[in-house]
Amino acid sequence: MIEGRNIVCFASGWSYHPTSKHHVMRGLAEHNHVVWVNWHSSRRPGLSLDDLKTMAGKLWQIQRGPRQASDNITVTTPPQLPLPSSAWARKTNACLVRRAVRGILKQLPKRPVQLWSFAPDVSDLVGCFGEELALYYCVDAFGEFPGYDRELIARLERKLIDRSDIVLTTSQPLYESKRPLHRNVRLVQHGVDHQHLSRAVTDNPIVPEDLRRLPKPVFGFVGVVGEWVDLDLLAGLARRRPDASIVMIGPTSTPRIAGLPNIHWLGARSHQDLPNYLAGFDVGLIPFRQVPLTHNANPIKLYEYLAAGVPVVSTPLPAVQPMPGSVWLASSADRTAACCSEALRHNQPRDRLRRSRLMAAEAWTARLERISQLVSDVLGSRTRPVPITPTGNPSREALLEPSLT
């Protein structure tokens, strides 16, 4: 396992619903100090209420300054100009962030530094901290998110890949798209907080009242309800199964479905309470639209549902494969309703316990062991992997830049 390092991590907001980024960094923080940098300049905000609330929150975080999320995790939100298309703004952001991070590193014990980025557009900061290694952890097709400049993100991401020592990808499509760009691209799929979520089948948790009072069966979804969620499919499922409760848990950034009394919007809930809610699910839903964003995604909720023992019905995605007795794929409302009925036949306590036990091997601890070995291999090689162009030739930047290892 990686240990004795100061790890500078660039990622989206620490305060958001726990993602793979949070799980990875919390795991690394057991033996290292993590400086989590809230990176918020990849997208130019609009004048929507959600964007205005987000900007107000960022201003409050900037004013608040660095804080300790735990003994070994420092969270900071340096000032940044959310003008990604402006070269001047990007250089200014790099200067502001560099100064903030160096100030924190000066207060930490002097140890080797590593730079890990879950953001695709931080290439200007690679090499600024004397780091022994730069790692790009690619978890999404970022240019496909609403409001992002696809061409700009692709260009900035390519610069980051060129300057990184290793690139980790979390889905097969992401791996295939990045593999031609660098000699050291690896596929490491998401893990799961198995110890926590398996409580849904081992601890007899009390299902929260707001879920317990709803009619059974419960077909549930946990996660952000964004443009990638197929609300038409959910409405069709609700009409075909008026006896069932369709439960949505998580923040919503799109208009809710109206006029269907068996769709229930419970809002965001803490990760700590998730096993209790999943214990009340009869089927876990992954109703994603089939678009480029979801084609490249590896939904962490798949692992979470299964670790909690919940059978899963999902739309067809490359990262979601059918699993007899546990995972069914459906692309229409009719088929989704039929798969939910089939899943209910595999929802006995023994089914849920078996399903959860199978996911023990997918825990984040196992993923971090693999990642640590990959990082160790890079450091032990003493030569930096040379990024290559789509034609197979070494990139000009790779030939000119000194090795970081």
Side-chain angles (χ1 to χ4, degrees), residues 245-263:
S245 298
I246 315 299
V247 173
M248 309 296 288
I249 296 177
T252 304
S253 61
T254 59
R256 297 181 178 183
I257 304 170
L260 292 170
N262 61 329
I263 297 184

Side-chain angles (χ1 to χ4, degrees), residues 295-317:
H295 177 81
N296 287 277
N298 186 356
I300 195 171
K301 59 181 57 59
L302 170 66
Y303 303 83
E304 292 177 337
Y305 291 155
L306 295 174
V310 182
V312 179
V313 175
S314 172
T315 49
L317 302 171

Side-chain angles (χ1 to χ4, degrees), residues 10-233:
F10 295 95
S12 55
W14 172 262
S15 60
Y16 294 166
H17 179 78
T19 64
S20 59
K21 302 180 275 287
H22 296 80
H23 292 297
V24 168
M25 288 299 139
R26 284 195 177 105
L28 289 174
E30 293 183 10
H31 303 287
N32 308 273
H33 195 103
V34 172
V35 179
W36 177 294
V37 182
N38 284 328
W39 185 257
H40 55 90
S41 58
S42 302
R43 168 183 170 272
R44 181 170 183 165
L47 296 177
S48 69
L49 182 59
D50 285 342
D51 280 356
L52 292 174
K53 288 181 178 179
T54 298
M55 286 189 287
K58 294 299 180 185
L59 290 172
W60 180 79
Q61 291 173 11
I62 291 169
Q63 185 178 19
R64 186 182 184 186
R67 65 182 183 91
Q68 291 301 123
S70 69
D71 288 344
N72 284 336
I73 300 178
T74 303
V75 177
T76 184
T77 308
Q80 294 160 62
L81 300 172
L83 302 171
S85 61
S86 167
W88 173 84
R90 294 199 303 272
K91 289 181 180 179
T92 300
N93 291 338
C95 180
L96 294 169
V97 172
R98 181 171 62 246
R99 182 184 305 165
V101 173
R102 285 177 175 174
I104 295 172
L105 290 175
K106 285 181 180 179
Q107 300 175 33
L108 299 178
K110 290 189 179 300
R111 293 179 291 193
V113 175
Q114 294 184 4
L115 185 154
W116 292 47
S117 183
F118 293 86
D121 51 345
V122 302
S123 61
D124 290 340
L125 288 159
V126 175
C128 290
F129 312 108
E131 63 267 18
E132 64 179 0
L133 171 136
L135 182 152
Y136 174 39
Y137 205 131
C138 181
V139 297
D140 280 303
F142 293 97
E144 301 298 334
F145 278 108
Y148 281 66
D149 185 327
R150 183 184 294 111
E151 293 183 2
L152 176 63
I153 289 294
R155 178 164 58 85
L156 296 178
E157 182 182 56
R158 178 58 195 274
K159 287 182 64 179
L160 177 59
I161 289 173
D162 280 353
R163 295 179 179 180
S164 296
D165 296 286
I166 181 171
V167 177
L168 303 184
T169 57
T170 57
S171 73
Q172 190 67 33
L174 287 175
Y175 173 71
E176 296 296 339
S177 67
K178 306 307 182 229
R179 187 171 59 169
L181 306 180
H182 197 284
R183 291 189 186 277
N184 198 2
V185 178
R186 302 303 179 114
L187 172 62
V188 180
Q189 295 184 338
H190 289 319
V192 67
D193 188 355
H194 186 268
Q195 183 177 6
H196 177 56
L197 294 169
S198 63
R199 290 176 43 228
V201 294
T202 62
D203 288 6
N204 295 317
I206 298 175
V207 177
E209 172 62 24
D210 56 353
L211 181 60
R212 189 169 66 247
R213 60 182 172 78
L214 299 178
K216 298 280 270 180
V218 170
F219 303 154
F221 171 86
V222 175
V224 177
V225 184
E227 296 182 15
W228 51 90
V229 174
D230 192 338
L231 296 181
D232 290 336
L233 186 147

Side-chain angles (χ1 to χ4, degrees), residues 307-351:
V310 182
V312 179
V313 175
S314 172
T315 49
L317 302 171
V320 182
Q321 299 298 318
M323 184 186 301
S326 290
V327 181
W328 292 263
L329 303 183
S331 56
S332 68
D334 283 337
R335 181 61 184 154
T336 299
C339 287
C340 285
S341 296
E342 178 65 18
L344 291 174
R345 296 178 54 238
H346 299 268
N347 195 38
Q348 298 301 314
R350 64 178 181 276
D351 298 318

